[in-house]
Amino acid sequence: MTMAKVSTELLAILRCPYCVSGPTRQPGDDPGRLVLHKDCWLICQTCPRKYPIKEGIPIMLIDEGDKWTTTAVESMPVPPPSN
Ligand SMILES: [Zn+2]
């Protein structure tokens, strides 16, 4: 298994799906910006959702982000659980 790093180009365009689409779209010019945490989590700066990066692939699913809303950033498992 190789751990491909998420490119800065990809990070620049990725946004939290909860914050940018549909009825849950958040106000502002650019909601849902993400910050990379320990190369394996993307943390939304607008809402409490956090998205795991598994084998180099960001899992940008709202259901996945929902699982981590109450977990503090410093308590996020590294690497993310596989299931
Ligand atoms: Zn968000």
Side-chain angles (χ1 to χ4, degrees):
M1 187 178 89
T2 54
M3 288 291 287
K5 274 195 110 178
V6 177
S7 74
T8 48
E9 291 85 359
L10 181 59
L11 273 179
I13 60 166
L14 275 180
R15 294 293 181 271
C16 168
Y18 179 90
C19 291
V20 297
S21 58
T24 60
R25 186 188 161 88
Q26 301 296 301
D29 290 338
D30 190 8
R33 292 186 69 92
L34 300 160
V35 165
L36 184 63
H37 174 67
K38 297 193 174 175
D39 284 335
C40 62
W41 289 98
L42 291 169
I43 298 173
C44 182
Q45 300 299 284
T46 305
C47 76
R49 289 175 180 77
K50 306 170 185 74
Y51 300 90
I53 300 169
K54 297 179 181 179
E55 299 184 37
I57 300 167
I59 312 298
M60 305 308 295
L61 301 173
I62 292 173
D63 284 351
E64 189 66 39
D66 280 347
K67 295 180 189 173
W68 304 100
T69 53
T70 58
T71 307
V73 171
E74 57 271 21
S75 301
M76 302 300 286
V78 175
S82 55
N83 59 351

